[in-house]
Amino acid sequence: MGVKGTSIGAVFFVIASALLLLSPSPSADASPLLSACRFDQVYQLGDSISDTGNLIRESPLGAALPFARNPYGQTFSHHKATGRCSDGLLMIDYFAQALGLPLLNPIKDTKANFEHGANFAVAGATALSSAVLAHHHVTNPVTNSSLDIQLQWMKDHFHKFCHNDCERKLQNALFMVGEIGGNDYNYAFLQYLDEARDTLKILELVPLVVAKIKHAVEKVISFGARTIVVPGNFPMGCLPIYLTKFGLESEVDEFDENHCIWLLNSFATFHNDHLKKAIAELQEKYPYVTIVYGDYYAAYEQLFNLGETEGFELQKACCGVGGLYNFNETRMCGFPGVKACRDPERYVSWDGIHLTQEAYRMIVDWLQADLFWKLRCHH
Ligand SMILES: *[C@@H]1O[C@H](CO)[C@@H](O)[C@H](O)[C@H]1NC(C)=O
Ligand SMILES: *[C@@H]1O[C@H](CO)[C@@H](O)[C@H](O)[C@H]1NC(C)=O
């Protein structure tokens, strides 16, 4: 992806904009730096980090799901709950804005417009199929729409959308393959670490998950993708759900300098390192495709630097009840009587698992500068 006719002035403008991004102001919209890449479509595979309304449409529980009800969506005008797992917008929404495109519609919204892309992400989805996870004694209680299923939807969609002309029609499309895989680990840690703290067993999932993501990248290349971002995992040891589950009886030395659980963040880093290696292999195999790593981990860590100056609440969830981290799995956000804080724009965590709109906005502000260089949009 390149931009024609770059001048010194344009390069200067871009550098100046990138520097401005280092100190984002809390109320501004995402800066449109990435619009220079001139993508005309975005396609997203993933889980609740990116789902803009698929789970509430595919699940038999539908409108009874917490994400279909307030306080989810409370930051939107008219407090509209859209199925997004946050108080408002997600990272993919801010990416779309930064690209100068409309917000991405969920593929399960059959009447929606998909001219500028489609969102296949499903909240709760895993990279591995439910059958493979069951083999490892892990259950997905939310959805069976894992990566392979989402890829099948994508294939069906392109069959209608671009027929035999997909390579041309998709040449300026951006593909986001993930974040995905986080739930494979979440379910494993939250389900069977109850009995034994057997991280080694969970480590065995990492090569399987990464191989599955690698396979998904090859699949989207076969559909016609030429620019692909493959995001890694967040520092999961910083999330209130994990701090509550494993942090309460922990020794001080089990926390890192940001008061996150060291072991879990090492685990996320282990996954991310494997993923980066897989991306390097893919880039070598497909030199005509741009495949870059989306550093969600580093982007999240920026919030800790900003947090001190901006008066951010870094540990407690905004929406929840009780305990050190305002999180209790027996009374989570969306359950009857569970209230949200009044000022979600001061919180990183929305419900103990997902982030607030404001955290997502700041993360994208950082990421789009990083991606801008990696995608070589400044050529
Ligand atoms: C996933 O599929 C299995 C087997 O068909 C089924 O028993 C289970 O209810 C499904 N799970 C969800 C959450 O839909
Ligand atoms: C969660 O709530 C239950 C029921 O009120 C309580 O027994 C439990 O101690 C709480 N757990 C935490 C971690 O605060």
Side-chain angles (χ1 to χ4, degrees), residues 244 248 323 328 330:
T244 303
L248 295 179
N328 189 318
T330 69

Side-chain angles (χ1 to χ4, degrees), residues 37 68 88-89 92 108 110 112 123 126 139 165 233 241 252 260 284 305 315 330 342 358 367 370:
C37 306
L89 296 173
I92 185 60
K108 292 289 162 192
T110 46
T126 48
T139 312
D165 197 20
N233 209 342
I241 185 174
V252 175
C260 303
E284 185 149 337
N305 304 333
Q315 255 93 42
T330 69
R342 286 205 188 136
E358 183 58 13
L367 270 174
D370 190 51

